[in-house]
Amino acid sequence: MRKLIKPAIAAIIGTLLFTVSSAAQTVSATLSDQESTVSTTKEEKAAVQEEKTEQPKKDPSKLRTKANLKGNSEAKRRSKITNDPYTGWIYIPEKHYTLQIGDMMIELDGRTGGFCIYAIPETEGEIPLLSTQESLTSSYFVLQMDGRNYVLTKRNGIKTEARRTPYGGQMVYQVGNKAQLIVDFSFMPSIATSTRVDMLRVTLYAVNLTKTTKTMAVKGIFDTYLGEGNGTHFSTKTLGKINKEKQYNAFYDEQWVTSENANAAIRFILSSQRLGTPETVTLASKNRVSSELWKPSIDEAKGFNSASSYNNSGIGVNWKPATVDPYQVEAYTFYISCSTGGNDPAGESFIKELDAGTVALLPDHPTKLASSSEAPKPVELSDADIQTWYWENMPSVVDPESAYWNDASMSFTNVPSAAKEAGAKDFEQKNVSGTGNSGGNNVKYGDSDEIDMEYIQLLLDHIAEIENSDQVNDAELEFLNAEIDSVMEKLRGF
């Protein structure tokens, strides 16, 4: 598999060099033509210049030219900010988005639809709380609409987009002209009066884009790995040790699922009086929770460490179906807390505050739109719209007038996170299993005909990283080969 990559890279570089060489020859020919006409235009240029000097001069810094607007940070900021017509969120679209606030970090890849969550220890590098295999797509969401399941990754033909928001970030998945799922990750403290951010509020907005009422539901697949190196894969509020497959059709008393080791812990807070409860929670091997069945079938006598499961566990969460009118939204909310160094992540005290309505961010429910046969359109935002934050007890995580919209002052980058190396020993030995999804579609990134040089460099860097690794992941190499083929198709038509 590894030998197939290098010829592809050479082809990419060769094609680019050919393109640059052709462009250089064209420029040379053009310069030659220009020199032949210089002598015939000197008098005309002199006349034009004399006419210009007679006009009153304007301050070039105040001219509304494209060059000035391009260099104006305020103009750049305003040109990118838009609002989502279904949820009311304001955002800036991004290709690849990494944001660290407090003890947590999110990584969102708009090209693949992949995402990951990291814990930030005081003295060490980032610790991934979910597996980063398969280019961050081993954890994903599935949208069900009128009984049909849509696996929300780019390789399954879904249009994906990453967004920067005032509270964190979002992944957006577009299922043709039928539906949309917006996954919002909002940073927050588990204690409302504290400035220490150690939680994410995760809200799933299922949007019906058709002109008829639809039944919609959402399922989350989370590829955990922290508990696989010790004696306890998972725990809940009521069970301190879960090492066999288990499925809950009622999750009121359990309230949360925790995956942890000595270095870090991630806790999914799924149930409370204010949150309600999911329809089904499944703790099983990754193969089972990611099966094509909407509700996975499990064997409660089967342990995670059997020969067939390869010590490879995951969490499946099915939320209850809802009837959604045209251009309306159904929202599902849960919370993720994290900890490092053997500390216990936020749980029982947070849930009490949540049910009492005194946490920083309560479950988010969008305002319903008036029934209409036409989809709403984003509107131009005024200064008041951009500066007004309508959440309960918490300002935006950063000042929108300074740090938030200024990339230089944020922990923000458009290159892959180095966090993949932080926990490499823990998760690279994990078996990479199929997701049960239909495959075979090469991913083509970007909606325009322009060559995405940033993505080509990302591919080359990632290939070099794998080839320098002690352990080669065949599934990852296969994925990269598919991406290189896609880039080559673009280059052939360039």
Side-chain angles (χ1 to χ4, degrees):
M1 185 70 68
R2 299 174 69 183
K3 293 180 180 179
L4 297 178
I5 292 179
K6 292 183 178 179
I9 298 174
I12 292 175
I13 295 174
T15 305
L16 293 175
L17 290 175
F18 175 79
T19 303
V20 172
S21 175
S22 300
Q25 294 177 6
T26 303
V27 170
S28 176
T30 303
L31 291 174
S32 178
D33 292 341
Q34 288 177 344
E35 289 175 358
S36 65
T37 60
V38 166
S39 59
T40 61
T41 59
K42 284 184 178 179
E43 293 183 0
E44 295 178 4
K45 288 183 178 180
V48 171
Q49 185 63 32
E50 182 178 352
E51 183 179 348
K52 286 183 178 180
T53 56
E54 296 177 357
Q55 301 294 328
K57 294 183 178 180
K58 297 181 179 179
D59 184 353
S61 65
K62 296 182 179 180
L63 296 177
R64 294 184 59 81
T65 63
K66 289 184 178 180
N68 282 336
L69 289 176
K70 184 176 180 181
N72 186 307
S73 59
E74 171 66 15
K76 289 166 67 177
R77 178 174 75 91
R78 290 299 300 267
S79 67
K80 292 182 179 180
I81 298 174
T82 187
N83 74 314
D84 184 86
Y86 305 102
T87 64
W89 278 92
I90 63 172
Y91 67 90
I92 292 176
E94 302 286 356
K95 290 181 179 179
H96 185 278
Y97 182 47
T98 303
L99 178 63
Q100 175 185 326
I101 300 291
D103 296 348
M104 302 190 76
M105 184 174 82
I106 57 173
E107 182 176 8
L108 310 177
D109 193 337
R111 296 184 177 89
T112 64
F115 63 91
C116 195
I117 302 167
Y118 304 84
I120 310 297
E122 291 184 6
T123 58
E124 302 173 3
E126 306 96 331
I127 301 175
L129 302 176
L130 299 172
S131 172
T132 61
Q133 296 287 359
E134 302 176 43
S135 297
L136 306 185
T137 62
S138 62
S139 295
Y140 57 92
F141 293 93
V142 184
L143 180 68
Q144 187 179 77
M145 190 171 191
D146 283 348
R148 181 176 177 183
N149 300 342
Y150 298 91
V151 179
L152 301 180
T153 62
K154 191 80 172 247
R155 69 179 70 184
N156 288 285
I158 304 299
K159 183 178 179 181
T160 60
E161 177 187 60
R163 293 175 174 178
R164 183 188 344 177
T165 70
Y167 277 76
Q170 296 179 346
M171 280 302 311
V172 182
Y173 304 94
Q174 183 88 18
V175 184
N177 58 0
K178 298 178 180 179
Q180 188 179 77
L181 184 73
I182 302 171
V183 182
D184 176 75
F185 300 92
S186 288
F187 289 89
M188 61 177 286
S190 59
I191 302 173
T193 56
S194 172
T195 58
R196 178 174 170 263
V197 173
D198 60 343
M199 294 193 77
L200 290 170
R201 182 185 71 180
V202 185
T203 305
L204 315 175
Y205 301 99
V207 187
N208 177 9
L209 299 181
T210 71
K211 295 183 179 181
T212 59
T213 300
K214 298 291 184 180
T215 300
M216 303 178 74
V218 181
K219 175 169 66 174
I221 307 297
F222 305 102
D223 190 359
T224 56
Y225 79 95
L226 294 176
E228 293 169 6
N230 56 33
T232 302
H233 277 248
F234 299 112
S235 62
T236 69
K237 181 182 177 181
T238 58
L239 276 179
K241 187 174 183 178
I242 300 176
N243 284 329
K244 293 183 178 180
E245 295 186 351
K246 197 167 185 62
Q247 190 170 74
Y248 297 90
N249 293 315
F251 202 72
Y252 291 102
D253 295 333
E254 288 74 17
Q255 294 194 318
W256 65 70
V257 178
T258 305
S259 171
E260 61 186 319
N261 60 20
N263 298 319
I266 180 172
R267 175 168 289 170
F268 297 81
I269 298 175
L270 302 171
S271 178
S272 80
Q273 291 179 5
R274 191 174 287 268
L275 279 177
T277 185
E279 181 178 54
T280 306
V281 176
T282 305
L283 309 178
S285 69
K286 173 66 189 316
N287 291 6
R288 286 186 182 269
V289 297
S290 59
S291 73
E292 294 182 355
L293 295 174
W294 180 250
K295 181 179 177 179
S297 175
I298 69 160
D299 180 358
E300 293 201 351
K302 184 177 180 181
F304 294 120
N305 297 328
S306 64
S308 59
S309 66
Y310 302 104
N311 198 28
N312 187 6
S313 51
I315 302 172
V317 183
N318 295 58
W319 282 274
K320 297 175 181 178
T323 301
V324 186
D325 289 332
Y327 307 117
Q328 298 297 307
V329 182
E330 182 67 21
Y332 306 89
T333 297
F334 64 101
Y335 292 82
I336 293 176
S337 61
C338 81
S339 65
T340 58
N343 295 314
D344 196 35
E348 190 167 1
S349 297
F350 171 78
I351 291 175
K352 289 180 180 179
E353 295 296 323
L354 175 66
D355 289 341
T358 56
V359 299
L361 295 178
L362 291 172
D364 193 27
H365 300 285
T367 302
K368 295 292 184 181
L369 301 170
S371 297
S372 172
S373 60
E374 295 184 2
K377 294 180 174 59
V379 297
E380 185 175 349
L381 298 170
S382 66
D383 288 333
D385 292 329
I386 295 174
Q387 296 172 17
T388 298
W389 313 105
Y390 48 84
W391 291 273
E392 295 85 0
N393 302 319
M394 182 178 164
S396 56
V397 290
V398 283
D399 182 0
E401 289 305 302
S402 56
Y404 181 73
W405 303 111
N406 181 1
D407 295 350
S409 60
M410 292 286 287
S411 298
F412 167 79
T413 177
N414 264 327
V415 298
S417 169
K420 294 178 182 178
E421 296 295 330
K425 293 182 180 179
D426 288 328
F427 62 79
E428 281 190 357
Q429 296 182 17
K430 180 174 179 178
N431 178 64
V432 178
S433 59
T435 62
N437 308 334
S438 59
N441 295 324
N442 287 347
V443 181
K444 295 185 178 181
Y445 296 102
D447 297 323
S448 67
D449 294 330
E450 296 180 2
I451 300 298
D452 191 340
M453 299 303 297
E454 182 185 354
Y455 179 62
I456 293 175
Q457 188 60 52
L458 183 151
L459 272 180
L460 297 176
D461 292 344
H462 194 31
I463 290 169
E465 175 186 337
I466 290 178
E467 294 199 337
N468 292 328
S469 172
D470 293 336
Q471 296 187 4
V472 177
N473 187 317
D474 290 341
E476 191 79 357
L477 293 182
E478 183 179 354
F479 180 84
L480 290 170
N481 271 302
E483 303 317 307
I484 290 174
D485 290 342
S486 177
V487 173
M488 289 297 295
E489 286 299 319
K490 265 193 173 184
L491 285 170
R492 292 188 186 101
F494 184 61

